[in-house]
Amino acid sequence: MRRAEILAGLAVLLVGAPLAFMFASALADGEVRRREAPLRAILGSDAFEALARGEQTDQHYLGNDRLAPDFTLQDREGRAWRLSDHRGKVVVLNFWTITCQPCVEEMPTLEELARIVGERDDVELVTISTDRTWDQVSTVVAPTSPLTVLLDPDKAIVRDRFGTRLYPETWVIDRDGVIRLRVDGPREWSSAIAVDAIESFL
């Protein structure tokens, strides 16, 4: 009887161990896919896969080894806004201009995102316009907008420091000032999936 019990126990172990391993692997894989889902949705699966493999692409960036260049620009009220003053927060930077139709179409989703994150102290949303004057900016973003808007008419920051030449372009910078994501082209930034993507860097 004892031998039969031992054999039965070994049989259960031989069958159960692989099943337990497969179950644990499936759970781990599911968790990875859950965490990746927002970034896959924002970037597209093909771009996400390429970037995850460390391949360079013409569009987008995903990584954790580039410190964002520091800069100071003025807001509408003439107050200085400095990137390094916002360490400890995830900073979402959007570069745009009024002559860019996709930028203009994207702006309401950024304003809604500003409302969504406005009550938080761990995320900051900032848009940087390369237009010449605040009057021009006001044709798209009203002075009462919840957005923090900065002006870079000489493109000294947008083009010379960040290398942006096509708009809109959005950068996500983590709490340590490291660039984690760059998205080329317009997105629905107020969508739940976009908010999840931003929160994945908290």
Side-chain angles (χ1 to χ4, degrees):
M1 184 68 177
R2 182 169 173 75
R3 181 175 176 175
E5 289 174 352
I6 292 171
L7 289 173
L10 285 172
V12 168
L13 187 62
L14 288 172
V15 172
L19 286 176
F21 176 76
M22 288 170 51
F23 181 71
S25 294
L27 282 177
D29 185 57
E31 177 59 19
V32 168
R33 292 199 171 274
R34 185 193 67 75
R35 284 196 316 261
E36 290 177 351
L39 294 174
R40 283 181 182 276
I42 290 288
L43 297 170
S45 282
D46 290 345
F48 176 84
E49 292 288 347
L51 291 165
R53 289 191 300 267
E55 297 174 11
Q56 297 294 325
T57 65
D58 291 337
Q59 289 187 316
H60 315 306
Y61 168 80
L62 182 64
N64 60 5
D65 60 352
R66 299 181 188 176
L67 193 65
D70 197 17
F71 66 87
T72 302
L73 288 172
Q74 290 189 338
D75 67 12
R76 258 187 242 259
E77 285 73 42
R79 296 174 300 206
W81 192 97
R82 185 180 176 92
L83 179 60
S84 58
D85 289 343
H86 300 271
R87 293 279 169 85
K89 297 182 180 184
V90 169
V91 178
V92 180
L93 287 179
N94 176 266
F95 302 144
W96 69 287
T97 177
I98 63 168
T99 59
C100 160
Q101 189 59 36
C103 300
V104 173
E105 292 170 0
E106 179 185 59
M107 198 55 63
T109 74
L110 288 164
E111 290 190 320
E112 183 58 29
L113 178 60
R115 289 183 188 92
I116 291 168
V117 302
E119 300 298 316
R120 303 180 63 148
D121 60 2
D122 55 358
V123 178
E124 180 135 4
L125 172 60
V126 179
T127 67
I128 302 180
S129 169
T130 58
D131 297 296
R132 302 301 306 173
T133 68
W134 286 111
D135 286 343
Q136 291 175 313
V137 170
S138 295
T139 63
V140 176
V141 181
T144 56
S145 170
L147 285 170
T148 297
V149 183
L150 308 175
L151 201 60
D152 183 22
D154 299 325
K155 302 178 185 168
I157 306 306
V158 172
R159 183 188 60 209
D160 299 345
R161 296 248 185 116
F162 283 84
T164 298
R165 284 175 167 65
L166 297 175
Y167 310 104
E169 193 169 82
T170 305
W171 299 63
V172 179
I173 299 164
D174 73 14
R175 296 176 177 196
D176 298 318
V178 175
I179 299 164
R180 301 299 300 278
L181 177 69
R182 187 192 80 236
V183 179
D184 296 331
R187 295 294 186 277
E188 291 287 335
W189 288 108
S190 58
S191 69
I193 202 80
V195 174
D196 285 348
I198 293 164
E199 288 179 340
S200 72
F201 298 113
L202 286 171

